[in-house]
Amino acid sequence: MVPFIQVYGIYIILHGHLSPGGGFSGGAIFGASLVLIALSFNLEVGARQISHATASVLESGGALGFIITGLVAVALGGNYLANQAAGFPMGEAGELFSAGAIFIITAFLGIKVASTIVTLFYNIIEGDDKSGDAH
Amino acid sequence: MIEILTEILNALLLLFLVVCAIAVAQIRDMLSAVIVFASFGLIMAIVWQQLSAPDVAMVEAALGTGVTTLLLIAAISKTRRTE
């Protein structure tokens, strides 16, 4: 079941600029799929998929990628997060890779949200004792 | 005909929403309250869809039903189950 949820989450992230969805909702679905592994088996199996440290690094990396993508527009002579004004091509309806920087920004936002949800779950479950089991 | 059926569906959804909201506040067992709250989120997602807000419906279904329930169950497993 989990791979299908993850494919759906990635689909929503990638098509965020064409159809309903986007980085936040797709990232939430993707993060929930990773948490479901830890909840249905135990914390060790979940940590084999994505560990607490990896999730923390991805969380910071997603935010960093978002900022850097915004600053690329500044380097090209536009405002922060500018799209058309900085020379990126505008989107065309129905074309997947057509909306310039929005595509990249949405992907980073999805990584950020997914890893944030995983980190939230690990923080609550582990709590004081680091050896905690999910049940 | 289809408009009347849609109106009936909307009325039933909203009625169920109110019933769920009252039940969450009344139930003493925490785990049952969390499960009723998840069904509240699911009905809310369908209501958002009926209000022509598919974006919000998607976020509500993923966060309100999925992640919130997971985090609340995790919190219950760390604390007591009854009030």
Side-chain angles (χ1 to χ4, degrees):
Chain A
M1 193 66 197
V2 166
F4 298 108
I5 301 176
Q6 290 180 342
V7 165
Y8 183 59
I10 293 172
Y11 163 77
I12 287 185
I13 292 175
L14 292 188
H15 285 73
H17 52 290
L18 300 176
S19 55
F24 189 79
S25 33
I29 292 171
F30 196 84
S33 77
L34 292 171
V35 174
L36 275 177
I37 298 177
L39 203 69
S40 45
F41 295 102
N42 57 38
L43 206 57
E44 284 78 29
V45 178
R48 215 177 298 149
Q49 304 290 325
I50 178 168
S51 68
H52 194 160
T54 316
S56 301
V57 169
L58 278 178
E59 188 183 355
S60 310
L64 206 62
F66 190 100
I67 294 169
I68 289 174
T69 317
L71 286 176
V72 166
V74 178
L76 292 175
N79 285 327
Y80 184 68
L81 283 178
N83 197 26
Q84 191 188 22
F88 289 118
M90 281 303 282
E92 291 172 32
E95 287 289 318
L96 182 53
F97 299 101
S98 66
I102 295 179
F103 177 75
I104 305 166
I105 286 173
T106 316
F108 277 122
L109 194 61
I111 294 173
K112 163 82 177 158
V113 173
S115 51
T116 301
I117 284 166
V118 173
T119 315
L120 260 178
F121 178 72
Y122 281 164
N123 274 335
I124 287 186
I125 279 296
E126 285 173 359
D128 300 328
D129 54 304
K130 289 294 178 186
S131 65
D133 195 324
H135 302 290
Chain B
M1 185 60 193
I2 194 75
E3 287 85 6
I4 300 172
L5 285 178
T6 313
E7 285 299 318
I8 293 174
L9 173 68
N10 286 346
L12 282 177
L13 285 175
L14 292 175
L15 183 71
F16 196 74
L17 207 58
V18 173
V19 170
C20 278
I22 295 173
V24 168
Q26 291 295 325
I27 292 176
R28 291 289 160 214
D29 185 14
M30 286 299 176
L31 194 59
S32 310
V34 167
I35 292 169
V36 175
F37 188 60
S39 68
F40 174 88
L42 196 64
I43 298 295
M44 195 69 219
I46 304 174
V47 170
W48 284 124
Q49 174 63 43
Q50 290 293 325
L51 293 172
S52 310
D55 265 325
V56 190
M58 211 173 272
V59 175
E60 176 72 39
L63 280 182
T65 307
V67 178
T68 309
T69 310
L70 290 179
L71 290 181
L72 285 176
I73 288 177
I76 287 175
S77 76
K78 282 285 169 187
T79 54
R80 290 177 297 122
R81 181 169 164 178
T82 50
E83 259 184 273

